[in-house]
Amino acid sequence: MSRKSGAHAKRGQKMKKSKKAVLITLIALVSVIALLLIAGGIYVKVMFGRMGDIEQFQGNGSNMSREIEPPDSDFSGVIVDDPVHINDAVDSVNSIEVQGNTKVITNILLVGVETDVGSRDDITNYSGRSDSMIILSIDKYHKTIKLISLLRDNYVAIPGYGYSKLNAAFTWGGFDLLAQTIEQNYRLKIDQFVAVNFKAFTMAVGAMGGVDIVLTDAEINEFRENNQKVPVKTNEEGLCHLDAEQTLYYSRIRHIGDDWGRTTRQRTVIQALMEKAKTAGIGTLNNVLYEVLPYISTNISEGEILGYVAGAPTYLSYEVSEKMLPERAECVAIDVSGVGQCVGMQDPTKTVLDLHHFIYG
């Protein structure tokens, strides 16, 4: 693998790491936005109208969206006509059967889109890279919500474009091409998406009044050493109340535990925001929606959102579990000419099968 040298290269690498860290924070934001869409309450029709000004970026592909019946949160009983067959004996990714939504499982793709610095105030701009991607899987049978983060640097086959990083698909063809890429490489069919651009993170956290997170001394020192507003412990266990800017900085910390440590912090933020959403009043939730919805693009229809709203109390009570794809132990670093440093999967077939077992049980 090639290595850059010199102070200029190191500064460039630091800037790239910083950019990546910021974008990964969108995982937390988009996850909460999706749940807030579900929990929007009595004003959801008004709020949905605020999304109308955003032109959905679909790229050059066909519009793959279709009417999906939201899962029935009151489902119970034995599944008799909703089979999912996972054949562990296959010898290649292409031999794995493509899975999709079932009667009890609904998968939604959550996308954090990076736009150029000069256009980050343009709420209609969704033509950047999908540097944060997470599959939100609602399982009404096992009463769980699963969050599967897809590494943006995963080296994958992009239909019609050859091989590149996963995050390039959205740039080249919007949600349509990204969905095709996920289907081809992860054998998972995704029909619905929610996308958010760069600016919305602090707006959402601020509208919710910040979050409470337990910080280590090392994490607090990161604030102090980088001239940030230092969080104050509210008890001996290290619980701190973070405002919007502090939450953003916390989720950008990259010097403690490398990318996987940072991912753990993203999941901590997700859990903290979800807990805040569970206990927030309807006025707070609607205020968050009012502030953030102008920054969202989605192909989920108003009728579908209203269906999710009906199940909001149930969904927000579900147990939440998370997964990174691929996990650190499954990764291999590769350097591709013209693309840069990428992440490959040591055993793609096993990794994809593990993903299917995680989602479908």
Side-chain angles (χ1 to χ4, degrees), residues 93-94 96-100 109 133 135 148-157 164-167 178-190 324-326 343-345 348-349 351-356 359-360:
V93 171
N94 289 337
I96 298 175
E97 183 176 348
V98 174
Q99 307 292 349
L109 183 63
M133 291 159 284
I135 298 168
I148 303 101
S149 304
L150 304 178
L151 286 182
R152 69 166 198 161
D153 290 336
N154 204 179
Y155 192 58
V156 298
S164 191
K165 294 182 179 182
L166 178 61
N167 69 341
L178 179 55
Q180 293 173 36
T181 302
I182 291 173
E183 181 171 341
Q184 178 170 330
N185 292 274
Y186 305 112
R187 313 303 286 170
L188 199 63
K189 187 176 187 299
I190 305 289
M324 175 66 78
L325 193 77
V343 173
M345 293 182 282
T349 303
T351 297
V352 172
L353 286 172
D354 287 346
L355 168 65
H356 288 195
I359 293 177
Y360 297 99

Side-chain angles (χ1 to χ4, degrees), residues 207-284:
M208 293 190 70
V211 293
D212 295 327
I213 293 177
V214 175
L215 302 184
T216 66
D217 290 339
E219 289 168 342
I220 291 176
N221 285 337
E222 279 289 313
F223 284 84
R224 183 175 295 107
E225 293 172 1
N226 290 278
N227 299 317
Q228 302 294 315
K229 180 182 176 183
V230 180
V232 178
K233 292 183 180 180
T234 60
N235 63 24
E236 295 180 356
E237 284 70 36
L239 184 68
C240 299
H241 179 78
L242 306 185
D243 61 24
E245 294 296 335
Q246 290 171 326
T247 304
L248 177 62
Y249 187 80
Y250 168 78
S251 45
R252 293 178 59 191
I253 294 174
R254 64 184 183 279
H255 297 116
I256 304 173
D258 61 38
D259 281 348
W260 278 265
R262 181 172 52 193
T263 300
T264 299
R265 281 181 281 276
Q266 310 311 317
R267 293 171 182 167
T268 299
V269 171
I270 292 174
Q271 293 282 16
L273 288 170
M274 286 182 179
E275 289 301 317
K276 197 72 179 287
K278 290 178 184 178
T279 58
I282 190 66
T284 298

Side-chain angles (χ1 to χ4, degrees), residues 43-54 293-294 302 305:
Y43 300 118
V44 69
K45 281 183 174 289
V46 175
M47 298 303 179
F48 192 88
R50 287 177 60 78
M51 300 171 66
D53 293 334
I54 294 179
L293 280 184
E302 180 178 357
I305 289 179

Side-chain angles (χ1 to χ4, degrees), residues 87-96 347 349-350 353:
N87 181 10
D88 291 312
V90 298
D91 57 4
S92 69
V93 171
N94 289 337
S95 299
I96 298 175
D347 187 342
T349 303
K350 180 181 182 302
L353 286 172

Side-chain angles (χ1 to χ4, degrees), residues 14-323:
K14 185 175 181 181
M15 289 177 64
K16 289 181 179 179
K17 288 181 179 179
S18 179
K19 180 192 292 184
K20 181 178 179 181
V22 174
L23 293 167
I24 293 177
T25 65
L26 294 175
I27 292 175
L29 169 65
V30 178
S31 299
V32 173
I33 286 173
L35 291 178
L36 290 174
L37 285 173
I38 292 172
I42 58 176
Y43 300 118
V44 69
K45 281 183 174 289
V46 175
M47 298 303 179
F48 192 88
R50 287 177 60 78
M51 300 171 66
D53 293 334
I54 294 179
E55 180 179 354
Q56 297 172 13
F57 176 64
Q58 297 293 334
N60 297 322
S62 61
N63 189 347
M64 296 175 63
S65 65
R66 61 183 177 85
E67 287 291 314
I68 306 295
E69 181 180 354
D72 178 5
S73 63
D74 293 328
F75 176 88
S76 61
V78 178
I79 307 174
V80 295
D81 60 348
D82 195 30
V84 172
H85 180 252
I86 302 175
N87 181 10
D88 291 312
V90 298
D91 57 4
S92 69
V93 171
N94 289 337
S95 299
I96 298 175
E97 183 176 348
V98 174
Q99 307 292 349
N101 289 344
T102 72
K103 290 181 180 294
V104 297
I105 295 176
T106 298
N107 299 315
I108 302 171
L109 183 63
L110 313 177
V111 184
V113 181
E114 180 203 10
T115 54
D116 293 333
V117 174
S119 59
R120 285 179 180 168
D121 287 333
D122 181 2
I123 64 174
T124 66
N125 187 354
Y126 278 84
S127 58
R129 292 178 293 274
S130 56
D131 281 285
S132 293
M133 291 159 284
I134 187 166
I135 298 168
L136 171 68
S137 184
I138 303 173
D139 183 340
K140 66 182 181 182
Y141 184 73
H142 296 100
K143 303 187 185 307
T144 60
I145 289 177
K146 298 170 184 175
L147 305 172
I148 303 101
S149 304
L150 304 178
L151 286 182
R152 69 166 198 161
D153 290 336
N154 204 179
Y155 192 58
V156 298
I158 300 178
Y161 292 86
Y163 282 81
S164 191
K165 294 182 179 182
L166 178 61
N167 69 341
F170 193 85
T171 304
W172 295 336
F175 167 69
D176 291 356
L177 184 59
L178 179 55
Q180 293 173 36
T181 302
I182 291 173
E183 181 171 341
Q184 178 170 330
N185 292 274
Y186 305 112
R187 313 303 286 170
L188 199 63
K189 187 176 187 299
I190 305 289
D191 294 291
Q192 296 178 318
F193 80 99
V194 177
V196 62
N197 57 19
F198 194 84
K199 189 176 180 180
F201 183 84
T202 54
M203 294 184 64
V205 177
M208 293 190 70
V211 293
D212 295 327
I213 293 177
V214 175
L215 302 184
T216 66
D217 290 339
E219 289 168 342
I220 291 176
N221 285 337
E222 279 289 313
F223 284 84
R224 183 175 295 107
E225 293 172 1
N226 290 278
N227 299 317
Q228 302 294 315
K229 180 182 176 183
V230 180
V232 178
K233 292 183 180 180
T234 60
N235 63 24
E236 295 180 356
E237 284 70 36
L239 184 68
C240 299
H241 179 78
L242 306 185
D243 61 24
E245 294 296 335
Q246 290 171 326
T247 304
L248 177 62
Y249 187 80
Y250 168 78
S251 45
R252 293 178 59 191
I253 294 174
R254 64 184 183 279
H255 297 116
I256 304 173
D258 61 38
D259 281 348
W260 278 265
R262 181 172 52 193
T263 300
T264 299
R265 281 181 281 276
Q266 310 311 317
R267 293 171 182 167
T268 299
V269 171
I270 292 174
Q271 293 282 16
L273 288 170
M274 286 182 179
E275 289 301 317
K276 197 72 179 287
K278 290 178 184 178
T279 58
I282 190 66
T284 298
L285 290 177
N286 279 282
N287 183 48
V288 175
L289 288 171
Y290 189 85
E291 293 293 332
V292 177
L293 280 184
Y295 295 84
I296 292 176
S297 178
T298 183
N299 66 348
I300 303 178
S301 72
E302 180 178 357
E304 291 162 348
I305 289 179
L306 290 174
Y308 286 121
V309 167
T314 301
Y315 298 138
L316 287 174
S317 70
Y318 282 4
E319 180 181 351
V320 179
S321 57
E322 298 116 19
K323 180 178 180 64

